[in-house]
Amino acid sequence: MWNITKHWFWYDWMFFFVRSVSLLSISIGTLVNQLPLSVPSWFIIFTAILTISIPFLIQQFSKKWYLFSEIVLTGSFCMYLTSYEPQLSWQFVIFAFVIGFYSDRSNYMWAALPTIFIIPGFNAWQINEPIEVIIFNYMFNHGAVFALGYAFQVLALNHKQSRIIQEQKKVLEQHINQIEELTLKEERNRLSHELHDTIGHTLTSLIVGMESLKTSFPSNQSERIDTLVELARNGLDNIRQHLHHLSVTPMSQSLTDSLQQLIEEFTKATGVTVNFRTFGNEVSITKQISFCLYRCLQESLTNAVRHGQASTIQVQLFYDNQQLRLQIEDNGIGMEQVRYGFGLSGMKERLDECTGSLAVHSRSNEGTVIICTLPVKVEAVHSRIRLLLVDDQSIITESLQRILEQQPDLKVIGTADNGQQALERCALDQPDLVLMDVRMPEMDGIEALREMKQRWPQMKVVLLTTFEDVSQAVKSIELGAEGYMLKSIHPRDLIEAIKLIHSGGTWIDQNITVQVFEEMKRQREQLGNQNYSPENNPYGITKRELEILQHLSNGLRYKSIAAKLFLSEGTIRNYCSTLYSKLGVSNREDAIEKARTEGLGLH
């Protein structure tokens, strides 16, 4: 009963009440006046109830058949009672108004014929009224009432549409305001990254450059250099403060708090009841997933009210060790067949980008259930990359430390002046990655690298040098170094390289990459090592690069590989660029063909 009437307006309830009261009052009045009926009194009451109920039930499925049932049942009942009590002939006027109200352009012509002419004319004929009385009193009055009902229906329809428009306007205004707010925050976040990657890195490079050149200037210019360095540092501090204010993301709260706030704002703006529950223990997740679920909930709430006409919405968030599940269930009108319009398509695309899935279940008049499922990618809040800086020039280590510690996911745990000190610090602190100069007193970087790889094979080591040296780079790679780069590398590239190497990649200065791999190939050909084996890797391919090569051979694109490995698309492109250089090819097709020809472990 509630599912049928929950979308009624006040006039629907008014007509239902008028019909019911009229039929029951006619029936009871007939029994009270003790008319000489040919049927028992209980049959009259039972017939009246059927006359009320059957059109009401049919009305929920078909307006055309509702009018037919109303005319046949109500008209027959009134004509039967009029045959015993002539004064009841006017009672059908009420139902003529109801029938006129529920008629529309497609059926008012055939509905008007029995309502205005046949039933009133038959009632008047039963009580022997003159023809002019039948025409002018009965038919004209019933016709006028039928027209009034039809006109009232037009007014009610306008009112109904106006109310729906107002409700949807509230929903859209709330939706637009949230989109504007999120767009503004996204733009502020983008600007903060742009400032960080351009002005911030430029000032840092100036500071490092002036510090390294200070010894080349006359002593009387040293104070001026210090002043310029101090100005650059003050500017960098100001930029850092601006970044702190700009980089406010929409997911600064926990996921639960963010969704709760969204629901409260939505309820306040639309008046729709939204119940929110969480299950399981909340875990820290990436901002990408939080933002994805936030947008999915926002779109689902808007669709539930705008298209589904829901009055109550249930939102449930399930935390699990393996996945997150957001379920939105409404009591709206539902739909016979799920259609992926702009809203659902946008949600599906967002979830696909996060390797999630979207499920939609709906039936007509039974509401809609939307389920968003995402794998848990725990935000690495405490997994900062721990770095050890090794160089005999303190200016270099101090400058590098200043650059790297600006990154929230990088941490410099110490410095060392030579290879021997670096080994001692490695034994004590176990850094994730070592940035080390090649030429140093006591023990140089090559010897330190050899020792590190023997003692700590999993430790990442990157060698830094002032000048390009191909043979030195080849030897470093052969000893297991994950990177070889110049000290003049741009800070932005340095940070990207550190993150790439930490995730399993390799970084070689692009100016000597080709020469390095040509030299390695030449040495390999001299040794006659043409086959790949885990013990003897002639191309220097890492485990992660081999994994990406396998995905390439399976036909996956960069974006799909990035989603599978939980890396950015740019990182995958860097991996592939290094991989192609190692294999001496220029594209994925040649890389796959060469890997299969030379047996590089593809299956």
Side-chain angles (χ1 to χ4, degrees):
M1 176 69 177
W2 169 244
N3 287 332
I4 295 175
T5 61
K6 63 183 178 181
H7 300 297
W8 277 15
F9 289 85
W10 62 268
Y11 39 79
D12 295 304
W13 287 103
M14 180 191 75
F15 282 111
F16 176 74
F17 180 78
V18 167
R19 286 181 67 256
S20 304
V21 171
S22 298
L23 284 169
L24 290 175
S25 63
I26 293 171
S27 304
I28 294 172
T30 302
L31 298 176
V32 169
N33 293 328
Q34 297 182 351
L35 297 179
L37 301 174
S38 59
V39 294
S41 56
W42 65 266
F43 184 80
I44 296 296
I45 298 296
F46 179 73
T47 304
I49 294 173
L50 287 180
T51 306
I52 295 170
S53 304
I54 293 176
F56 165 74
L57 294 174
I58 295 176
Q59 183 184 10
Q60 315 314 313
F61 307 102
S62 171
K63 181 179 288 188
K64 174 183 176 181
W65 288 105
Y66 158 72
L67 290 173
F68 180 79
S69 63
E70 184 77 89
I71 293 170
V72 171
L73 293 175
T74 308
S76 300
F77 188 65
C78 288
M79 287 189 293
Y80 174 76
L81 295 179
T82 300
S83 64
Y84 290 94
E85 177 54 63
Q87 293 181 356
L88 296 177
S89 61
W90 288 101
Q91 296 295 330
F92 191 70
V93 171
I94 297 174
F95 302 102
F97 186 79
V98 174
I99 294 169
F101 177 80
Y102 285 110
S103 300
D104 56 29
R105 293 182 180 180
S106 64
N107 51 40
Y108 76 93
M109 290 295 293
W110 68 261
L113 180 64
T115 305
I116 298 174
F117 300 102
I118 298 176
I119 296 175
F122 185 81
N123 285 337
W125 174 77
Q126 287 190 102
I127 57 178
N128 297 319
E129 292 284 359
I131 186 66
E132 60 272 12
V133 173
I134 294 175
I135 294 174
F136 291 103
N137 285 359
Y138 283 83
M139 295 183 180
F140 179 81
N141 288 338
H142 282 76
V145 171
F146 180 90
L148 286 174
Y150 185 82
F152 187 73
Q153 178 238 148
V154 174
L155 294 175
L157 183 61
N158 289 335
H159 171 267
K160 182 177 181 179
Q161 291 177 340
S162 174
R163 180 174 170 181
I164 292 174
I165 290 171
Q166 291 297 325
E167 290 177 352
Q168 294 194 352
K169 181 182 177 183
K170 289 182 180 179
V171 175
L172 289 175
E173 286 178 348
Q174 190 261 354
H175 189 61
I176 290 170
N177 290 336
Q178 288 182 342
I179 289 177
E180 288 179 350
E181 181 181 356
L182 292 175
T183 303
L184 177 61
K185 289 179 178 179
E186 286 179 326
E187 183 63 15
R188 291 172 64 186
N189 198 37
R190 186 189 67 80
L191 287 175
S192 71
H193 285 295
E194 288 294 327
L195 287 174
H196 181 276
D197 292 340
T198 54
I199 299 176
H201 284 152
T202 300
L203 289 175
T204 302
S205 301
L206 286 173
I207 293 170
V208 174
M210 287 188 289
E211 288 281 11
S212 62
L213 293 174
K214 188 163 61 174
T215 56
S216 304
F217 284 87
S219 58
N220 59 350
Q221 298 293 326
S222 179
E223 185 176 348
R224 189 172 182 181
I225 294 295
D226 289 338
T227 302
L228 292 174
V229 170
E230 188 62 28
L231 285 173
R233 284 175 176 163
N234 291 336
L236 189 60
D237 290 337
N238 290 333
I239 291 294
R240 191 177 293 114
Q241 292 177 5
H242 287 302
L243 291 179
H244 176 73
H245 292 294
L246 274 176
S247 60
V248 179
T249 65
M251 296 292 103
S252 56
Q253 301 172 304
S254 69
L255 176 61
T256 301
D257 292 340
S258 299
L259 299 187
Q260 182 68 56
Q261 182 178 350
L262 171 62
I263 288 170
E264 290 175 357
E265 292 174 355
F266 182 84
T267 301
K268 184 178 179 180
T270 63
V272 176
T273 302
V274 183
N275 300 315
F276 180 52
R277 293 184 65 189
T278 61
F279 300 87
N281 297 321
E282 184 168 3
V283 295
S284 178
I285 58 176
T286 62
K287 292 181 179 179
Q288 183 186 15
I289 289 182
S290 295
F291 190 76
C292 176
L293 289 178
Y294 187 92
R295 278 293 177 86
C296 287
L297 176 59
Q298 182 187 44
E299 191 67 43
S300 299
L301 293 176
T302 303
N303 286 343
V305 176
R306 183 183 177 191
H307 301 298
Q309 303 176 24
S311 59
T312 304
I313 304 172
Q314 306 289 338
V315 179
Q316 297 175 335
L317 178 62
F318 298 86
Y319 288 98
D320 190 86
N321 293 331
Q322 302 297 325
Q323 65 179 16
L324 281 172
R325 189 168 82 254
L326 178 65
Q327 181 171 313
I328 306 101
E329 182 177 357
D330 65 62
N331 67 342
I333 60 176
M335 44 190 166
E336 284 291 347
Q337 184 177 3
V338 177
R339 296 180 297 275
Y340 280 80
F342 180 77
L344 288 179
S345 297
M347 291 168 59
K348 191 174 187 306
E349 288 176 3
R350 288 182 180 277
L351 290 165
D352 286 344
E353 289 177 0
C354 298
T355 64
S357 61
L358 175 68
V360 183
H361 307 280
S362 183
R363 283 189 176 182
S364 182
N365 297 317
E366 293 185 13
T368 302
V369 179
I370 294 176
I371 302 175
C372 306
T373 306
L374 284 167
V376 173
K377 301 177 190 176
V378 180
E379 190 169 18
V381 179
H382 303 294
S383 60
R384 299 170 68 185
I385 303 174
R386 302 165 66 251
L387 304 170
L388 174 65
L389 307 180
V390 186
D391 199 299
D392 58 329
Q393 298 183 47
S394 59
I395 290 178
I396 299 298
T397 53
E398 290 174 3
S399 300
L400 286 175
Q401 186 169 359
R402 179 178 293 274
I403 293 171
L404 299 174
E405 287 189 338
Q406 294 178 30
Q407 300 297 313
D409 48 358
L410 302 181
K411 180 180 181 181
V412 177
I413 61 172
T415 61
D417 295 335
N418 54 62
Q420 187 60 47
Q421 289 185 13
L423 293 173
E424 294 172 0
R425 291 304 302 263
C426 288
L428 182 65
D429 298 323
Q430 294 288 310
D432 299 319
L433 191 146
V434 179
L435 284 173
M436 184 163 56
D437 188 18
V438 176
R439 301 184 184 276
M440 295 180 294
E442 296 189 29
M443 180 184 285
D444 64 18
I446 298 294
E447 289 301 316
L449 168 64
R450 190 193 308 274
E451 184 69 21
M452 288 176 184
K453 285 299 180 180
Q454 288 178 355
R455 297 170 61 179
W456 306 287
Q458 301 302 318
M459 187 179 295
K460 313 290 185 183
V461 182
V462 178
L463 291 183
L464 298 171
T465 184
T466 305
F467 302 104
E468 301 168 358
D469 188 327
V470 175
S471 61
Q472 192 179 76
V474 170
K475 189 173 184 180
S476 301
I477 298 300
E478 289 176 344
L479 290 173
E482 282 76 19
Y484 183 90
M485 61 187 70
L486 299 178
K487 292 181 181 179
S488 59
I489 185 174
H490 193 282
R492 179 172 53 200
D493 295 333
L494 174 62
I495 292 164
E496 182 181 352
I498 289 172
K499 294 179 180 179
L500 174 65
I501 291 168
H502 181 259
S503 63
T506 303
W507 186 288
I508 301 175
D509 185 81
Q510 61 180 2
N511 294 323
I512 62 171
T513 301
V514 176
Q515 298 96 306
V516 167
F517 290 116
E518 285 181 352
E519 177 65 18
M520 292 178 68
K521 182 179 180 181
R522 186 185 64 80
Q523 294 179 7
R524 183 172 63 250
E525 289 174 350
Q526 289 179 350
L527 295 173
N529 295 327
Q530 296 297 323
N531 294 320
Y532 172 85
S533 66
E535 295 77 21
N536 181 24
N537 183 349
Y539 293 98
I541 298 175
T542 65
K543 182 179 179 182
R544 177 52 65 90
E545 288 167 349
L546 185 60
E547 183 180 9
I548 292 173
L549 183 58
Q550 180 65 59
H551 287 311
L552 289 174
S553 70
N554 292 335
L556 297 183
R557 298 296 177 185
Y558 293 149
K559 186 175 183 180
S560 301
I561 298 173
K564 278 185 171 292
L565 300 181
F566 301 131
L567 298 173
S568 69
E569 187 175 348
T571 300
I572 297 299
R573 290 183 182 277
N574 286 332
Y575 272 123
C576 292
S577 178
T578 303
L579 180 62
Y580 298 159
S581 296
K582 289 182 178 182
L583 293 173
V585 298
S586 58
N587 55 62
R588 71 164 63 205
E589 289 77 15
D590 292 343
I592 294 169
E593 183 180 355
K594 188 166 186 176
R596 287 174 175 166
T597 301
E598 303 195 9
L600 297 185
L602 294 187
H603 55 272

